[in-house]
Amino acid sequence: MAKIAAGREKKPHIGIFGRCNAGKSTLLNFITGTDTAIVSPRQGTTTDLVRKSYEITGFSPVVFIDTGGIDDSSALAAERIRRTREAVLQSDLAIIVYTEWGAPEDVMAAQLREAGVPFIALQNLHTGTGPCRAAPPGTGAGTAAFDISSATPAHHEELTGLIKSALPANAVRPAEMFAGLVDAGDTVILVCPIDSEAPAGRMILPQMQAVREALDRGATAVVVQPGQLSGALRMCHSPRLVVADSQVYREVRGSVPPQIEVTTFSILLAAAKGDMKLYTEGLGAVGRLRDGDRVLIAESCAHRVSCDDIGRVKIPAWLREFTGRELRFTHISGLSPLPDDLAGYSLMVQCGGCMVTRTQLRNRIRRAATAGVPVTNYGMLIRKIR
């Protein structure tokens, strides 16, 4: 399997789950060769999700998530267990660490199966613990058993081998924005306005991803700002595709000959990482919005908010203008959990998701859909209302 590029948004996430003091943090430190997680016999030492990037040599970079105990009974137990459940939905693969398999492990395994997350059952053979019950036959995507506190390089190789075989292929392979759209020898024009939201000296991530994928496919990527588009069209003659920032889509579409397809970075990401059928169905809810309805804007990154912010400022203003309704907006960012009162929202608008994995994005939007909330995408919404 091909090694993927560095960047947390592309790394498969591996959750480490188990009871308090099962050896989860010790395992994380052993795998990564660092003291990332605090190790203590005291219950509730892991108070929050701990993430650690790690390169599995010759395979892929990954992110491990160390979680609180699934049997935590401390004062903060409810919040830790809630965050552990959130980690399930952020994971492409899980490792259940246990000494003796019992009811808590059965519940954890059931949650992982319900979420479609494969898991490895790792029995921690503590010295002096005596006979312990192992995981039931056929449980999970693989099993291992050793004393984590005295594990050897051979155990490390065994475990990373299990991880490599158990990780779903679509978690390791980068989402393809141009699949079926661009081939070797084609020319793609990327229209990239530089505004206050762009990092100083850099392009935003979807633009960089598009350039790299075009080059990987053997295509020619021509990168311009909106004012340079006409010159690029004259120079390129017959580009296969024009990709624009969502905010300038209408301007770009009006400047490009009708026989040349025009799309947006957000829509390409929606197709590659999200659920186009769900987004398309959700778009129909825009016309049904009424005064007082609540709209959830779901961003997948955390950034400084400016007066030009697309999710915090522009989309709310455009939606109010388009619908003529007085709407109420709530915003979440990064991997923040969805609101507890999710069913009370009339629409959820999700960004392209360049900063999260395919699994994380799809789990988020499908949870909203399960709650009966229509979901659509930034780019698709902007194209409809602008």
Side-chain angles (χ1 to χ4, degrees), residues 18-19 22 70 96-110:
R19 301 189 209 188
I70 57 177
I96 299 180
V97 182
Y98 69 100
T99 53
E100 181 173 2
W101 192 277
E105 288 75 23
D106 283 334
V107 171
M108 189 74 246

Side-chain angles (χ1 to χ4, degrees), residues 22-31 95 97-98 122-127 145-152 155 159:
K24 301 183 297 298
S25 297
T26 303
L27 177 66
L28 175 62
N29 292 343
F30 165 65
I31 294 174
I95 301 174
V97 182
Y98 69 100
L122 171 58
Q123 187 172 22
N124 187 8
L125 301 177
H126 285 302
T127 302
F146 53 84
D147 184 347
I148 297 172
S149 62
S150 59
T152 67
H155 293 130
L159 186 56

Side-chain angles (χ1 to χ4, degrees), residues 87-272:
V88 169
L89 300 177
Q90 298 171 17
S91 299
D92 299 289
L93 174 68
I95 301 174
I96 299 180
V97 182
Y98 69 100
T99 53
E100 181 173 2
W101 192 277
E105 288 75 23
D106 283 334
V107 171
M108 189 74 246
Q111 289 178 8
L112 291 166
R113 289 193 191 98
E114 183 180 4
V117 181
F119 64 89
I120 296 166
L122 171 58
Q123 187 172 22
N124 187 8
L125 301 177
H126 285 302
T127 302
T129 54
C132 295
R133 186 157 64 92
T139 295
T143 60
F146 53 84
D147 184 347
I148 297 172
S149 62
S150 59
T152 67
H155 293 130
H156 191 284
E157 185 175 346
E158 175 189 7
L159 186 56
T160 54
L162 283 172
I163 290 171
K164 288 190 284 188
S165 63
L167 265 172
N170 64 5
V172 180
R173 184 176 59 248
E176 298 180 345
M177 298 171 68
F178 292 134
L181 296 174
V182 175
D183 298 316
D186 288 339
T187 297
V188 182
I189 298 178
L190 308 176
V191 185
C192 305
I194 304 300
D195 56 27
S196 61
E197 293 295 297
R202 293 180 288 134
M203 300 166 68
I204 62 174
L205 189 57
Q207 297 167 354
M208 293 189 293
Q209 290 175 335
V211 171
R212 176 57 190 265
E213 186 179 336
L215 297 178
D216 286 344
R217 289 179 175 276
T220 299
V222 178
V223 184
V224 298
Q225 294 195 59
Q228 302 167 314
L229 176 58
S230 58
L233 288 168
R234 289 193 298 270
M235 178 183 70
C236 296
H237 303 298
S238 298
R240 175 73 178 272
L241 181 69
V242 175
V243 185
D245 184 276
S246 297
Q247 299 180 67
V248 296
Y249 172 80
R250 180 170 294 185
E251 172 189 344
V252 170
R253 177 69 275 182
S255 302
V256 175
Q259 70 271 20
I260 299 173
E261 185 174 355
V262 179
T263 188
T264 70
F265 294 102
S266 184
I267 291 175
L268 289 176
L269 279 171

